[in-house]
Amino acid sequence: MQKSKKLLQKEEAAVIEEKEECEMDDQENEPEDEDSEDEEENNAEGEPPAKKGKTAKKSPEKSEKEEKPLSENDLLKKKILKLGEIIRRTKCPKFTQIEKLEELKAILKGNYAKYVYNHAVSRVIEWMIKLAAEDLTTAITQELKGTLKNMARQKYSKHVVVCLITKADKQTFEAILKELSEDIIKLMLLGTSNSVVTELYKKASKEQKQSLKHSFYGKSFKTFRSKNILNLKDVGTLSQTEKDSIFNEIHDNLSKVIEKSTMKSELIVEILREYLEVMEVGNAKHAALVTVLQSNFVELEQYKEGAWLATHCLWHSSAKERKQIMKLVKAKPSLATSAVGYAILVAMMDCIDDTTLLNKIVLQPLLEDCETLCGNMYGMKVLSFAIKPRSTLFLHPEQIKFLQEGESNPHSKKDPALRQKEIKGFAVPLVASKILDNFSAWIQNAHRFLFIKALVDETDFPEVIKLLELFTSLLTQPDYKETTEHKGTSSEMLLIEVPFAQKLAMHLIKEDKRKYAADSSYKPIFCEMLVSKIKETPEFWLDSNRGILTFLW
């Protein structure tokens, strides 16, 4: 029964399939309707047939837009861009470049103001200024006269203004400076114009820079200005009312610009230094500017006056604020190898009382890589200050004098001598142990002589005594030789024959003699080590020219 039921179900399914196939055949054999005839006609005319179930309708607006021809302005722009691509190719022949530049000059003459705000065309104009002679810069500046301030505010045209400033001759630059200096504060309040002001100040002469600064001094300065009053230091000779009026305007202008664009210009940094030098410390205005310096502490490395501002900031920052500054410095180890950054680190070592925290956050990471640091002239100064603070061997006397001015700051209460002793206690053992691990690399480098000389004088530390013992041992070993390079050729020689090693040995002997002459109770450590070793192999020293000289010394 079950089988018969299944057979019946299969037969019924087959019948249903046959019916469906017949219906499909009938539909295919039916005559096409009017729509299908229209489709055939359209196909005969060459247009694509419409898909089934969809109407083949095109937007009239879209078709008109596609068929609309390019305007004369668009064609001209297209030609400018094509010529721009040619002139900036690295392999473009010189004569072709000159020819295309002349074409561009002819097209754009009288139209610079029209196209300078366009992104693509402004790039072509920049290349024209860079590649052409100065006469083109002068011609473009004359044509754009009166629009430079507006151009400096715009996203694309500002780059053209920067190019004009860079390439301008003296007379053209003066014209650009005259126009832009009228609104220098307004330009600096806009982030887009910062690059223009930076380039303008960079190229300006000493007198022109002073003129740009005067725009920050406000209307009061212009009113009370005389031949004897040229800068903020001279303002101190005025009456209290006049002085307060000028300083208030300067503070307002500085605050507005710093709030908008922080300190992204050498002009702002220099004005800020001048202002901080003459203003009263301890009041709310001074505290506000110190807070700004704290938040931009690491960025001060970029500016010539950055070291002065950073030091002033440290002098007037509390212990808690100094801790935050140390964390910022830790995040930028490259400070130690820059011309301004090293001076900032020196100021930190000179005034921060919490030497344990200073060593943990700042010094230790730097001293761990002391070999690399010592390969840089500025890094060497940082290391040397940690070993021998305020020494004229490594720092200029004027720099030391400036550091001494900060001894009376309200936040550094520890005695400078004690602070220096503590820093030395961290630095000397760590550096001496690093040199012990790779003595050969240090002993051959003559550029490190002053630093090694300062280090080995610190005989109160056991690590330095170990260093002297190693040096003496290697110096008197007949079998120990150092591989040295001279004029591209390498050779092996005894350590006493290495010029730097012999010079260091003579210095140590001289120091022992000097100390013993000053105090007869002094124990000449290096001389005793050396004499005991020489007694073991005297003939070795007599066979060496530098050995005899050292022995007679």
Side-chain angles (χ1 to χ4, degrees):
M1 289 292 291
Q2 290 177 353
K3 287 183 179 179
S4 61
K5 280 182 180 180
K6 286 182 179 179
L7 288 169
L8 285 169
Q9 287 174 355
K10 285 182 180 179
E11 287 175 0
E12 286 175 0
V15 170
I16 291 166
E17 286 179 3
E18 285 178 4
K19 282 183 179 180
E20 286 177 353
E21 286 175 2
C22 290
E23 287 174 3
M24 290 291 291
D25 291 336
D26 292 338
Q27 286 176 5
E28 287 176 1
N29 293 327
E30 281 177 7
E32 294 179 353
D33 56 7
E34 292 179 1
D35 290 335
S36 62
E37 288 176 7
D38 291 338
E39 264 183 37
E40 286 178 5
E41 287 176 7
N42 289 337
N43 289 339
E45 290 174 5
E47 293 181 5
K51 291 183 180 179
K52 280 188 177 182
K54 292 184 181 180
T55 55
K57 289 183 180 180
K58 284 190 177 182
S59 172
E61 292 179 4
K62 189 174 180 182
S63 59
E64 284 176 13
K65 189 176 180 181
E66 288 174 355
E67 293 172 6
K68 187 179 178 180
L70 291 170
S71 65
E72 187 180 345
N73 186 41
D74 292 333
L75 289 170
L76 197 62
K77 196 185 293 182
K78 197 173 180 180
K79 188 176 181 181
I80 291 167
L81 297 178
K82 191 174 181 181
L83 290 169
E85 286 177 10
I86 296 169
I87 63 168
R88 66 183 182 184
R89 287 174 189 162
T90 51
K91 294 183 179 180
C92 178
K94 191 69 179 174
F95 65 90
T96 306
Q97 194 180 76
I98 293 168
E99 184 184 332
K100 300 304 177 186
L101 276 169
E102 290 300 322
E103 282 187 53
L104 281 167
K105 287 179 192 178
I107 294 169
L108 287 166
K109 188 176 181 181
N111 294 313
Y112 286 106
K114 181 181 177 181
Y115 290 109
V116 79
Y117 300 104
N118 179 274
H119 183 200
V121 180
S122 68
R123 291 286 295 157
V124 176
I125 296 170
E126 287 173 50
W127 275 100
M128 287 173 66
I129 296 166
K130 288 175 184 177
L131 297 172
E134 288 180 357
D135 60 337
L136 178 64
T137 306
T138 306
I140 293 173
T141 305
Q142 287 295 324
E143 189 173 322
L144 295 173
K145 193 175 181 181
T147 63
L148 292 173
K149 282 188 283 188
N150 186 46
M151 285 170 61
R153 294 186 179 98
Q154 306 305 319
K155 186 176 180 181
Y156 304 123
S157 57
K158 69 171 183 179
H159 299 296
V160 176
V161 180
V162 170
C163 284
L164 288 171
I165 293 168
T166 308
K167 199 73 184 284
D169 56 23
K170 187 178 179 181
Q171 191 175 354
T172 308
F173 177 74
E174 285 175 359
I176 297 170
L177 180 69
K178 186 179 178 181
E179 185 172 339
L180 294 178
S181 61
E182 294 171 4
D183 286 339
I184 199 74
I185 296 175
K186 289 181 181 178
L187 289 174
M188 296 202 76
L189 288 171
L190 292 168
T192 52
S193 307
N194 266 324
S195 57
V196 176
V197 178
T198 301
E199 193 62 35
L200 194 71
Y201 191 73
K202 183 180 175 182
K203 191 166 180 178
S205 65
K206 190 177 178 180
E207 292 77 16
Q208 289 167 340
K209 284 180 179 178
Q210 198 62 45
S211 176
L212 286 169
K213 288 178 187 177
H214 288 169
S215 59
F216 269 84
Y217 295 172
K219 294 177 181 177
S220 300
F221 180 81
K222 292 177 183 177
T223 305
F224 303 124
R225 185 183 174 186
S226 65
K227 291 182 180 179
N228 299 324
I229 300 172
L230 299 173
N231 51 45
L232 291 183
K233 285 183 180 178
D234 300 332
V235 172
T237 59
L238 297 172
S239 67
Q240 190 63 38
T241 308
E242 294 170 341
K243 189 165 61 172
D244 289 345
S245 178
I246 293 169
F247 284 173
N248 286 336
E249 286 195 54
I250 292 170
H251 185 84
D252 291 343
N253 288 332
L254 271 174
S255 300
K256 281 192 294 184
V257 173
I258 290 171
E259 186 183 347
K260 283 285 184 181
S261 60
T262 64
M263 290 185 292
K264 296 181 180 178
S265 170
E266 189 79 37
L267 173 59
I268 294 294
V269 171
E270 289 192 11
I271 294 170
L272 189 56
R273 181 200 165 154
E274 281 188 24
Y275 183 47
L276 286 170
E277 277 185 311
V278 297
M279 78 179 301
E280 293 180 9
V281 299
N283 55 33
K285 288 182 177 179
H286 180 265
L289 292 175
V290 169
T291 303
V292 170
L293 291 174
Q294 288 166 0
S295 58
N296 294 278
F297 193 84
V298 176
E299 285 74 19
L300 293 172
E301 178 215 2
Q302 304 169 35
Y303 308 105
K304 187 179 176 182
E305 303 295 341
W308 190 96
L309 289 172
T311 307
H312 186 87
C313 173
L314 287 166
W315 288 346
H316 298 281
S317 298
S318 64
K320 189 177 179 180
E321 290 165 341
R322 287 176 177 181
K323 184 179 178 180
Q324 295 302 317
I325 289 170
M326 284 190 275
K327 288 180 180 178
L328 291 173
V329 169
K330 183 185 178 181
K332 194 169 184 182
S334 60
L335 274 176
T337 55
S338 71
V340 175
Y342 96 88
I344 294 173
L345 289 170
V346 163
M348 291 178 74
M349 287 188 278
D350 193 72
C351 73
I352 293 177
D353 283 346
D354 193 347
T355 52
T356 305
L357 195 63
L358 178 68
N359 174 61
K360 185 180 177 181
I361 297 177
V362 180
L363 287 181
Q364 195 168 346
L366 289 173
L367 298 178
E368 285 290 342
D369 193 22
C370 60
E371 189 173 342
T372 305
L373 204 61
C374 223
N376 179 276
M377 64 179 291
Y378 301 115
M380 176 83 79
K381 289 177 183 286
V382 174
L383 279 177
S384 303
F385 192 89
I387 303 298
K388 208 174 186 71
R390 293 189 181 180
S391 171
T392 51
L393 282 171
F394 309 106
L395 298 180
H396 194 277
E398 287 296 321
Q399 191 175 357
I400 296 169
K401 186 179 176 183
F402 173 61
L403 293 173
Q404 288 169 347
E405 291 174 13
E407 290 177 3
S408 59
N409 79 78
H411 301 287
S412 297
K413 297 174 182 177
K414 192 178 281 186
D415 182 60
L418 178 60
R419 192 187 305 117
Q420 292 166 9
K421 186 181 178 181
E422 289 173 353
I423 290 172
K424 194 184 288 187
F426 295 128
V428 172
L430 181 57
V431 175
S433 61
K434 291 292 177 184
I435 294 173
L436 279 168
D437 294 340
N438 191 15
F439 185 72
S440 182
W442 286 82
I443 204 66
Q444 291 188 46
N445 196 323
H447 298 292
R448 298 172 183 173
F449 174 72
L450 286 177
F451 175 72
I452 296 287
K453 177 182 163 184
L455 180 67
V456 294
D457 287 341
E458 302 298 327
T459 52
D460 295 336
F461 296 91
E463 291 81 3
V464 175
I465 299 297
K466 286 180 184 178
L467 188 61
L468 290 175
E469 286 173 352
L470 176 63
F471 180 51
T472 309
S473 173
L474 296 177
L475 203 64
T476 55
Q477 275 186 30
D479 299 331
Y480 181 79
K481 291 184 178 181
E482 283 282 349
T483 304
T484 59
E485 288 191 8
H486 181 65
K487 294 182 179 180
T489 58
S490 58
S491 59
E492 287 189 348
M493 59 174 66
L494 298 168
L495 185 60
I496 190 61
E497 292 291 346
V498 177
F500 170 59
Q502 190 234 355
K503 189 177 180 181
L504 182 61
M506 292 176 75
H507 162 74
L508 288 166
I509 294 166
K510 186 179 178 181
E511 277 298 298
D512 274 354
K513 285 182 177 182
R514 184 186 65 77
K515 289 176 182 178
Y516 184 76
D519 182 10
S520 58
S521 63
Y522 172 75
K523 184 181 177 182
I525 300 169
F526 181 73
C527 287
E528 285 186 358
M529 291 180 185
L530 192 62
V531 169
S532 64
K533 292 289 183 181
I534 289 174
K535 285 179 181 178
E536 295 174 9
T537 55
E539 65 283 351
F540 160 69
W541 281 74
L542 294 172
D543 291 339
S544 166
N545 291 333
R546 290 184 182 271
I548 293 170
L549 287 171
T550 309
F551 184 76
L552 292 173
W553 188 261

